[in-house]
Amino acid sequence: MQNTLQSKIHEIRGQKIMLDFDLAALYEIETRVLNQSVKRNYKRFPIDFMFQLTDKEWQTMSSQIVMTSTSKRPKTSLPYVFTEQGVAMLSGVLNSDIAINVNIAIMRTFALMRSQLHYNNEFNEKLAKLESKYDQQFGEVFEALHYLIQKDQIEESNTKRAKIGYKK
C-alpha cells in the first residue's frame, strides 16, 4: 500500500499534496461526499491545508498522471488538493474505520517520504564534501604532474644530446 500511496502524492506549488478524488477512492467514498464533508467543516481547512487547483495546474497534472477513469472528475470542476496537514485534518471530518486506517497509512507515507528526502539531502551534502575534497587533491596531483612535465621539457631543451646512430 505504501507504493500505491506514494504514487498518489504529487508536488505542486512547492508542496506535497493529494488530489480529492484519490483520497475519496482510498476512503471508499465518492469525491462529492468528501468535498461536501470538507465544505461543511471549511474552518478546519485553511489555504495551507487545502486549495483548489487552477486550470493550468490541473491541465499540467492531468497530462502527467494516468487516470483509470475519465468519470473521476467532471470536466467543468477543478479538483481540490490536500497538503499533509489537510489530510490529517480529514481524519477529524471523516470518521469511518476505513478513513481512520487510510489516514494512518497516509501519515506514515508522508513521514517516510520526508525521511527519504532528509536522507537524500544528507547524502548529497556528504557527496559534495567528498567531491570538493578529492577535486582539490586531484587538482594538486595534476598541478604536480604539470610541473614535472614542464621541468622535463625545460631540462630537455637545455641539454644537448649526442646524436645516436652511425657517424660518417
Side-chain angles (χ1 to χ4, degrees), residues 18 26 41 43-44 51 54 56 83-84 90 92 98 105 108 111 113-114 122 127 138 145 158:
M18 293 187 75
L26 290 168
N41 296 281
K43 289 182 181 179
R44 293 178 180 240
F51 54 90
T54 65
K56 186 175 181 179
T83 64
E84 182 177 356
L90 280 173
I98 292 172
R108 287 181 176 152
M113 290 177 73
R114 224 181 359 268
E122 216 173 78
L127 184 60
F138 283 118
L145 287 172
N158 287 340

Side-chain angles (χ1 to χ4, degrees), residues 148-162:
L148 291 173
I149 291 169
Q150 283 181 340
K151 183 180 168 190
D152 284 346
Q153 288 174 347
I154 292 170
E155 287 176 359
E156 197 173 288
S157 65
N158 287 340
T159 58
K160 296 203 178 190
R161 299 169 85 184

Side-chain angles (χ1 to χ4, degrees), residues 6-160:
Q6 281 186 354
S7 69
K8 294 187 182 308
I9 297 174
H10 307 281
E11 188 167 334
I12 194 139
R13 300 183 193 176
Q15 297 182 52
K16 300 282 186 202
I17 56 94
M18 293 187 75
L19 296 157
D20 58 358
F21 60 85
D22 283 337
L23 286 165
L26 290 168
Y27 295 139
E28 297 179 9
I29 59 174
E30 292 179 41
T31 306
R32 172 185 61 79
V33 172
L34 175 95
N35 288 332
Q36 283 175 348
S37 296
V38 169
K39 286 177 184 173
R40 284 188 199 116
N41 296 281
Y42 71 93
K43 289 182 181 179
R44 293 178 180 240
F45 296 94
I47 192 78
D48 57 328
F49 283 25
M50 179 198 84
F51 54 90
Q52 193 168 25
L53 294 177
T54 65
D55 281 327
K56 186 175 181 179
E57 289 170 334
W58 176 233
Q59 287 173 1
T60 302
M61 283 194 75
S62 60
S63 69
Q64 292 173 357
I65 57 177
V66 178
M67 290 194 281
T68 56
S69 169
T70 55
S71 64
K72 279 190 172 182
R73 166 135 328 268
K75 295 203 185 269
T76 58
S77 175
L78 294 171
Y80 287 95
V81 297
F82 295 83
T83 64
E84 182 177 356
Q85 293 83 7
V87 172
M89 191 57 72
L90 280 173
S91 66
V93 174
L94 304 172
N95 226 359
S96 71
D97 287 340
I98 292 172
I100 291 168
N101 291 332
V102 167
N103 258 28
I104 290 169
I106 292 171
M107 292 298 105
R108 287 181 176 152
T109 302
F110 271 113
L112 176 68
M113 290 177 73
R114 224 181 359 268
S115 70
Q116 288 173 342
L117 179 64
H118 175 72
Y119 174 77
N120 285 343
N121 288 341
E122 216 173 78
F123 176 76
N124 288 338
E125 287 173 13
K126 286 180 181 178
L127 184 60
K129 285 179 185 176
L130 283 174
E131 284 177 346
S132 66
K133 176 183 174 183
Y134 288 112
D135 283 350
Q136 183 180 3
Q137 285 180 349
F138 283 118
E140 291 170 3
V141 169
F142 288 128
E143 189 177 314
L145 287 172
H146 185 65
Y147 170 77
L148 291 173
I149 291 169
Q150 283 181 340
K151 183 180 168 190
D152 284 346
Q153 288 174 347
I154 292 170
E155 287 176 359
E156 197 173 288
S157 65
N158 287 340
T159 58
K160 296 203 178 190

